[in-house]
């Protein structure tokens, strides 16, 4: 009886030719989503237990610049604990989710594609972490020290809410984490034959203007924040030009013929 049940379940998952059926793919996808959800829930609970230490970690650089914080609503302070815990749980869940995506797609990938997929995942995570670390160690401390030392009217004193400060920190972390992905995006586009190094060199003047424009849009409305985002973006753009020269693979006529042959063979089938 048990053997028949096992055979029936196996038949639902695997087809006669050994490939996985649609039901099998859906079950696998469901299981992987459950794993991601479980990691997220455990992460939220775990980070809630140390949420006060996370807040201390974020406010330490501001305390060194003699900032003092207030909360303007009764629930504001409590909500920041929940907010930081949720975001920390998301950060922990992202690598797990990316691995689950890779594991789900791995059977349909070639060996070279599988290696490149793993490389992109690891390199992307590393660059994002470097961007967040750069914001935490370099950009935010310098920005906070600069803003607090601005001379102005003596009767204007700072009463910075903890919510606005956490918003600034998280915004800068996300911005720099995404900005530091520029070399990876360039490598992918260069491998696809899109990011031409010669075009990138000729258009660097326009690119710098666009970078400062984007920095002005995504940062708080002050020139200091804009420059602290735009300058690293410009440096990363020049690094991307160098990387595109290494990985650029121009599309040849042979590639077009191969694609045409693949389309013809698929039409015949």
């Amino acid at each position: 009886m048990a053997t028949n049940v096992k055979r029936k379940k196996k038949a639902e998952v695997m087809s006669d030719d050994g490939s996985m059926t649609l039901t099998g793919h859906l079950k696998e996808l469901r299981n992987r989503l459950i794993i991601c959800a479980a990691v997220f829930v455990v992460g939220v609970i775990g980070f809630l237990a140390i949420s006060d230490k996370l807040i201390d970690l974020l406010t330490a650089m501001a305390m060194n610049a003699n900032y003092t914080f207030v909360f303007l609503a009764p629930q504001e302070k409590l909500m920041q604990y929940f907010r930081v815990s949720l975001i920390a749980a998301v950060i922990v869940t992202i690598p797990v989710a990316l691995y689950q995506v890779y594991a789900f797609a791995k059977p349909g990938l070639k060996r070279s594609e599988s290696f490149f997929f793993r490389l992109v995942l690891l390199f992307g995570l590393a660059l994002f972490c470097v961007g967040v670390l750069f914001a935490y160690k370099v950009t935010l401390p310098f920005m906070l020290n600069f803003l607090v030392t601005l001379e102005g009217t003596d009767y204007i004193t700072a009463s910075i809410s903890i919510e606005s400060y956490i918003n600034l920190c998280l915004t800068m972390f996300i911005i720099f984490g995404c900005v530091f992905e520029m070399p990876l995006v360039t490598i992918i586009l260069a491998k696809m034959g899109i990011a031409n190094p010669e075009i990138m060199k000729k258009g660097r003047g326009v690119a710098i203007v666009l970078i400062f424009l984007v920095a002005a849009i995504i940062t708080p409305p002050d020139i200091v924040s804009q420059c602290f985002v735009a300058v690293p973006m410009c440096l990363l753009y020049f690094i991307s030009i160098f990387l595109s020269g290494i990985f650029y693979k121009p599309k040849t006529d042979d590639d077009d013929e191969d694609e045409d042959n693949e389309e013809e063979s698929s039409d015949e089938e």
Side-chain angles (χ1 to χ4, degrees):
M1 183 70 178
T3 305
N4 293 333
V5 172
K6 289 181 180 179
R7 288 178 179 175
K8 185 176 180 181
K9 289 183 178 180
K10 187 175 181 180
E12 291 177 355
V13 175
M14 305 297 293
S15 60
D16 295 335
D17 58 357
S19 60
M20 188 175 290
T21 62
L22 177 60
T23 304
H25 282 298
L26 293 176
K27 286 184 177 180
E28 182 184 3
L29 181 61
R30 179 199 62 189
N31 293 335
R32 297 191 182 283
L33 290 175
I34 290 174
I35 291 173
C36 295
V39 171
F40 175 74
V41 172
V42 173
V44 171
I45 296 173
F47 285 117
L48 272 175
I50 59 170
S51 57
D52 55 339
K53 295 181 180 179
L54 295 177
I55 296 292
D56 291 342
L57 187 66
L58 291 176
T59 55
M61 50 189 166
M63 299 296 287
N64 293 332
N66 297 322
Y67 277 76
T68 56
F69 299 104
V70 298
F71 56 95
L72 306 179
Q75 76 281 5
E76 181 179 331
K77 184 178 179 181
L78 178 63
M79 292 305 297
Q80 299 316 303
Y81 286 104
F82 281 103
R83 186 180 182 189
V84 171
S85 301
L86 287 171
I87 293 175
V90 170
I91 293 173
V92 171
T93 307
I94 286 176
V96 178
L98 292 176
Y99 173 78
Q100 296 301 323
V101 171
Y102 165 72
F104 183 76
K106 184 179 178 181
L109 298 176
K110 299 177 182 178
R111 181 176 295 181
S112 59
E113 293 173 340
S114 178
F115 174 77
F116 186 70
F117 199 95
R118 290 199 304 268
L119 185 64
V120 166
L121 291 181
L122 293 175
F123 194 38
L125 287 172
L127 287 175
F128 189 87
C129 292
V130 170
V132 172
L133 188 62
F134 182 84
Y136 181 77
K137 289 291 187 179
V138 179
T139 305
L140 275 171
F142 191 91
M143 184 188 301
L144 293 171
N145 279 285
F146 175 81
L147 293 175
V148 79
T149 54
L150 283 176
E151 294 184 359
T153 310
D154 294 336
Y155 63 82
I156 299 178
T157 58
S159 296
I160 303 168
S161 70
I162 187 64
E163 181 179 5
S164 61
Y165 176 75
I166 296 296
N167 282 339
L168 175 64
C169 290
L170 297 180
T171 301
M172 298 303 292
F173 291 159
I174 293 172
I175 289 173
F176 274 88
C178 294
V179 164
F180 271 67
E181 298 290 340
M182 189 185 298
L184 177 62
V185 174
T186 303
I187 291 174
I188 295 173
L189 295 178
K191 291 279 287 184
M192 297 170 63
I194 298 175
N196 190 318
E198 296 300 325
I199 296 177
M200 294 180 69
K201 287 179 183 177
K202 292 179 181 178
R204 58 181 177 268
V206 177
I208 291 174
V209 174
L210 291 175
I211 284 172
F212 273 89
L213 179 62
V214 171
I217 295 173
I218 64 178
T219 57
D222 62 88
I223 190 66
V224 179
S225 301
Q226 179 184 354
C227 291
F228 267 104
V229 173
V231 171
M233 286 180 70
C234 292
L235 295 176
L236 289 169
Y237 181 79
F238 289 113
I239 294 173
S240 299
I241 293 176
F242 173 75
L243 292 175
S244 66
I246 298 175
F247 291 95
Y248 179 62
K249 183 181 179 183
K251 196 171 184 180
T252 60
D253 296 335
D254 294 335
D255 296 333
D256 294 333
E257 291 178 1
D258 293 338
E259 291 180 0
D260 293 337
N261 293 332
E262 289 178 0
E263 290 179 358
E264 291 176 0
S265 61
S266 62
D267 292 338
E268 291 176 357
E269 291 176 358

